[in-house]
Amino acid sequence: MYFHYDWVAEYLEDAPSLEEMLLILNATGLETERDGDGLEIEHTINRPDAMNHYGVAREIAVKTGRALREPQVFDGDLATLQGWTIHSDDAAMCPQYMGLLVENVKAEASPAWLKQRLEAIDQTSHNFLVDLTNFLLWEFGHPSHAFDADKLAGNEIRVRFATKGETLTTLDGNDHQADGYLCIADAEQPVAFAGVMGGANSEVDENTTRLLLELAAFDPVQVRYTGRDKQIFSDARYRFERGVDRENMDRIIRRFIFLLLQQQPQARVIGLHDMNVAPFQRTQIELRRQRLDLLLGISLPDTQVEDLLGRMDFRPQPMDGGWLLQAPGYKVDVVREVDVVEELIRFAGFDLLTSELPAMGGTSYTEQPLAVGERLCRNMLVGMGLQQAVSFSFVGETAEALFGTGAEPLRLRNPMNINQAVMRRNILPPLLTCVAQNAKRGLRRQQLFEIGHVFQNGTEPHHLAIVLSFDTDRTRWFDSAGQHPFYVIKGYLEALCERLALPLTFKSEVPTWLNPGEALGIYHGDQLIGGMGCLAPKITAFYEFEQPLVVAELSLDFLNQHHLPLPNVAKLSDQPAMRQDMAFVVDQHHAAGAVHQHILDLQPACLEDLELFDVYEGKPLEKGKKSLGFRFHFRHPERTLTSEEVAKVMDSVVESVRNTYGAVIRI
């Protein structure tokens, strides 16, 4: 926004040079550059107080201590305007509206001084009456508007929302539907969009002899809404949607009268109607010395604080431990103690602040293990190619009963429909509904998971659920031929357990919603917390699944007592690996996972990886026996292993498995 140097200097005693102004304004936080004979200032949205020439001069006066020259105003008595009605339908939309009626005026050409002022800031001159309102806008930053009083029906001004069918042609010549927008209206129709632009039906022209000057305050949000929706960009809108100074509205009215009578002494001021349904009151703010020092990290002297507050017109009153302040009307963005602190350091000088941050207290906040664990599970599953789903917490009673334990579910008093009648006790019912609907739309291959609340016995446990469906009609080069879907979902859960060091085990006892023999129960210690594998036939039939499908669901509440490990990072070895296969024949009741864990607990030297690659039952093995094939991967980090070293380790492993499980080596 451009401001002319001579105009700004007019309000200052001993005005600084243009270059000095430039430095002073930048020091206060206003980004300013020189542009010819003036200043180009980049304002932030909270600085309407500096969007006028007097406001820029005020910034310089506060910063430097120079005296301000107040513009001359009319100091006579103003009669109350009779015979006119001015009303606001909504005090929040328009708390104050000042209407000044002047007769015997002329819309003549502006005098040279006024034209020069406006032309210096690239403003077009129209006629004296209109130019005077533009001058006041650029002098004080508060928009005003001149109506031809003879064009206003019924001697009435009413601030209201336009009704259906009402239209308005604005001063730029564009026609608008006014329905629903805040307008200035006379007794018959809208004559202006409030705070945005006047209407052509009340425009001042060469025939104007009676003028009604408007000076008002409008709701910034409503002004922004009207201007944006109607695509009207005006200087008035730019100011109103940022806030105006209500405390000094009378000064602007009197300034208008002074300049008008100076040019047209024959003009007669009939009266002023000040509709003020919500009188302006200064905001009371307490500024505490301790808080001031804490936020700045330095201590400004009391005399300097009081001097700066006085220059800004905060009217400081000392109190115990600080000052009681009254925020002036032009400081529309100052409503809190911290705002006052910002104003003080702007004028005291940012260079006073140290380059080191002030000492700050610590925090007792610690992340909750459950939240951290859920986030890690979510990130891992997404990284493995699964998609996160978010389903409703409401399910149908029939579907919920398929997963229930026989207890009564939590029912809704007013369900939207029968399929959302109870609160879920498992995540799988709504997740399976989503999978079934997708399958009917042709999406048969799906990998979904959800982490969320369930509702059980007055508590809301956190559950994790996974559903994998497969398309048997299509194959891909990366599909593992002949691999049962059970092993895919088991691989996902094992990866989670390994990364998060989850103390989970898998056993053959399963929840009722799984199919025994094709599923495993998930245990935390001795407690069954979920299961994974193929669904029970009754559930598969209920959802009408045709493609292979496996699921998993488990409670995550145990994470509240689980300490999640940091990732382990190890240096990769460039030495060759040595692989050794070994098959153990054991009794059928011995779980492969137990044997696997037993071998790991032995911590064989240089063992890099251990995997179960085969489980076999049948001839030539004896009845009640099974063969567990393990593949051992050995690698030394610094040198090549010898066969003798590996054989010695394997002998100790075989001996331990034989003694613990009665195993026999299968040849």
Side-chain angles (χ1 to χ4, degrees):
M1 189 174 291
Y2 179 78
F3 300 90
H4 196 266
Y5 168 77
D6 291 340
W7 196 346
V8 174
E10 183 179 310
Y11 306 115
L12 290 167
E13 296 285 354
D14 188 23
S17 67
L18 178 58
E19 292 300 330
E20 288 176 315
M21 273 191 191
L22 185 71
L23 296 174
I24 293 168
L25 291 172
N26 275 298
T28 67
L30 286 173
E31 185 179 338
T32 309
E33 296 179 352
R34 178 170 180 170
D35 186 357
D37 293 330
L39 304 162
E40 184 66 35
I41 301 179
E42 187 71 28
H43 296 89
T44 52
I45 195 170
N46 65 322
R47 295 305 308 278
D49 59 294
M51 294 178 183
N52 56 86
H53 288 79
Y54 182 82
V56 173
R58 182 172 49 208
E59 288 281 301
I60 297 170
V62 175
K63 177 67 175 176
T64 64
R66 287 176 168 85
L68 270 174
R69 290 176 180 165
E70 293 293 334
Q72 289 182 278
V73 298
F74 175 75
D75 58 2
D77 294 331
L78 290 176
T80 301
L81 180 60
Q82 302 295 329
W84 281 74
T85 301
I86 298 179
H87 175 70
S88 173
D89 285 4
D90 189 335
M93 295 295 101
C94 178
Q96 187 172 7
Y97 191 106
M98 302 177 76
L100 177 73
L101 182 64
V102 185
E103 295 183 350
N104 201 26
V105 297
K106 296 179 181 179
E108 60 188 359
S110 295
W113 71 267
L114 182 53
K115 286 185 178 179
Q116 290 170 0
R117 281 283 182 257
L118 295 178
E119 289 172 358
I121 57 173
D122 201 25
Q123 295 291 305
T124 303
S125 176
H126 299 280
N127 59 64
F128 175 64
L129 301 178
V130 173
D131 288 354
L132 203 51
T133 63
N134 288 336
F135 174 83
L136 291 175
L137 181 145
W138 284 96
E139 183 174 45
F140 291 118
H142 196 137
S144 57
H145 184 70
F147 292 104
D148 187 324
D150 291 324
K151 296 179 181 178
L152 298 176
N155 288 351
E156 179 180 348
I157 288 291
R158 182 180 172 193
V159 185
R160 62 175 175 82
F161 286 96
T163 57
K164 187 175 182 180
E166 289 187 316
T167 61
L168 177 65
T169 301
T170 48
L171 291 172
D172 57 8
N174 293 318
D175 298 328
H176 303 276
Q177 293 293 327
D179 179 16
Y181 297 95
L182 188 66
C183 292
I184 311 299
D186 59 16
E188 297 177 354
Q189 62 183 341
V191 294
F193 282 126
V196 178
M197 185 173 285
N201 54 4
S202 59
E203 181 180 7
V204 170
D205 56 29
E206 65 276 5
N207 299 316
T208 299
T209 59
R210 297 172 69 239
L211 176 143
L212 184 76
L213 180 72
E214 165 197 288
L215 192 72
F218 302 109
D219 176 58
V221 175
Q222 191 63 42
V223 172
R224 186 179 302 117
Y225 167 73
T226 302
R228 182 187 59 195
D229 213 37
K230 294 301 180 183
Q231 291 294 296
I232 299 175
F233 303 93
S234 65
D235 288 332
R237 171 196 167 185
Y238 192 82
R239 269 75 172 182
F240 274 124
E241 66 184 14
R242 286 160 174 78
V244 293
D245 178 9
R246 287 190 57 199
E247 189 174 18
N248 292 292
M249 290 174 62
D250 182 70
R251 175 177 63 176
I252 299 173
I253 289 287
R254 291 179 175 275
R255 177 66 167 161
F256 177 86
I257 296 172
F258 174 83
L259 295 174
L260 175 67
L261 294 179
Q262 190 179 54
Q263 179 66 22
Q264 298 183 3
Q266 79 283 357
R268 292 189 302 117
V269 178
I270 304 303
L272 173 69
H273 186 123
D274 184 4
M275 182 219 68
N276 195 354
V277 292
F280 172 81
Q281 292 183 340
R282 286 193 169 205
T283 303
Q284 303 287 325
I285 302 174
E286 291 185 1
L287 175 61
R288 296 164 292 174
R289 160 58 73 179
Q290 184 179 11
R291 186 64 174 166
L292 174 64
D293 294 349
L294 178 64
L295 291 177
L296 293 182
I298 60 174
S299 183
L300 299 175
D302 284 358
T303 53
Q304 184 181 16
V305 171
E306 292 176 2
D307 181 42
L308 289 173
L309 291 173
R311 292 185 205 172
M312 290 185 282
D313 194 24
F314 275 97
R315 303 174 186 174
Q317 294 294 323
M319 66 175 193
D320 186 24
W323 299 268
L324 180 63
L325 311 178
Q326 298 179 43
Y330 75 91
K331 293 284 189 185
V332 295
D333 64 322
V334 177
V335 294
R336 304 169 299 167
E337 182 181 33
V338 68
D339 300 326
V340 178
V341 175
E342 180 186 4
E343 292 299 292
L344 280 171
I345 196 59
R346 280 204 311 113
F347 292 111
F350 291 114
D351 56 319
L352 296 177
L353 298 177
T354 61
S355 58
E356 297 180 0
L357 291 174
M360 300 179 67
T363 174
S364 60
Y365 171 76
T366 55
E367 284 197 287
Q368 300 301 313
L370 176 60
V372 176
E374 286 185 351
R375 184 171 67 245
L376 291 174
C377 288
R378 184 179 295 109
N379 292 341
M380 280 200 66
L381 291 170
V382 170
M384 289 188 288
L386 279 74
Q387 291 180 304
Q388 183 177 6
V390 179
S391 59
F392 285 115
S393 297
F394 317 120
V395 296
E397 194 163 351
T398 302
E400 202 283 332
L402 294 173
F403 291 81
T405 58
E408 288 295 313
L410 180 62
R411 292 181 171 83
L412 299 180
R413 290 181 179 178
N414 298 298
M416 297 180 64
N417 55 63
I418 60 173
N419 293 322
Q420 296 181 348
V422 299
M423 304 299 291
R424 67 185 184 187
R425 287 185 284 184
N426 293 79
I427 295 180
L428 280 175
L431 197 58
L432 289 172
T433 299
C434 176
V435 172
Q437 291 175 346
N438 289 341
K440 291 178 180 179
R441 291 169 173 80
L443 185 61
R444 300 173 64 84
R445 184 183 180 88
Q446 302 175 64
Q447 300 185 96
L448 302 180
F449 77 93
E450 181 174 355
I451 297 175
H453 289 284
V454 296
F455 304 85
Q456 299 176 353
N457 303 321
T459 63
E460 297 183 21
H462 293 241
H463 277 209
L464 162 65
I466 302 174
V467 177
L468 307 179
S469 65
F470 300 82
D471 189 353
T472 57
D473 296 334
R474 301 172 62 186
T475 59
R476 294 171 174 82
W477 64 269
F478 52 82
D479 286 338
S480 299
Q483 184 183 57
H484 194 286
F486 167 83
Y487 295 106
V488 179
I489 200 166
K490 186 171 184 288
Y492 288 142
L493 291 175
E494 287 177 336
L496 288 177
C497 290
E498 181 179 357
R499 168 61 183 88
L500 305 181
L502 299 181
L504 303 180
T505 56
F506 305 103
K507 300 180 181 179
S508 58
E509 293 80 6
V510 300
T512 57
W513 39 270
L514 289 174
N515 188 27
E518 291 186 308
L520 289 175
I522 303 174
Y523 286 76
H524 179 246
D526 295 329
Q527 182 182 5
L528 178 66
I529 63 170
M532 65 174 178
C534 297
L535 286 167
K538 61 179 181 179
I539 298 178
T540 302
F542 177 80
Y543 287 98
E544 300 179 352
F545 288 124
E546 298 178 357
Q547 73 274 27
L549 183 121
V550 288
V551 302
E553 181 164 352
L554 67 152
S555 172
L556 296 177
D557 281 1
F558 70 91
L559 289 173
N560 278 316
Q561 289 78 40
H562 178 61
H563 296 288
L564 296 165
L566 293 174
N568 292 322
V569 179
K571 182 180 179 180
L572 295 177
S573 174
D574 58 357
Q575 300 300 316
M578 184 174 292
R579 189 179 72 179
Q580 182 79 47
D581 291 347
M582 184 67 66
F584 299 98
V585 178
V586 297
D587 293 339
Q588 279 184 337
H589 68 273
H590 290 309
V595 179
H596 184 277
Q597 188 60 46
H598 175 77
I599 298 173
L600 292 178
D601 292 342
L602 297 175
Q603 298 182 353
C606 298
L607 181 65
E608 185 179 63
D609 189 27
L610 175 67
E611 59 177 312
L612 176 70
F613 71 89
D614 179 62
V615 178
Y616 176 75
E617 298 178 16
K619 295 181 179 180
L621 299 180
E622 298 178 15
K623 188 175 181 180
K625 298 288 185 178
K626 64 181 177 182
S627 172
L628 304 178
F630 290 95
R631 181 161 293 148
F632 296 75
H633 295 265
F634 295 94
R635 191 194 307 267
H636 195 282
E638 299 177 353
R639 60 178 176 81
T640 302
L641 288 172
T642 64
S643 300
E644 292 76 11
E645 290 176 308
V646 174
K648 184 177 180 180
V649 173
M650 289 299 299
D651 288 343
S652 64
V653 170
V654 169
E655 184 65 22
S656 179
V657 175
R658 179 183 291 122
N659 293 336
T660 305
Y661 295 98
V664 176
I665 303 302
R666 182 183 176 195
I667 307 299

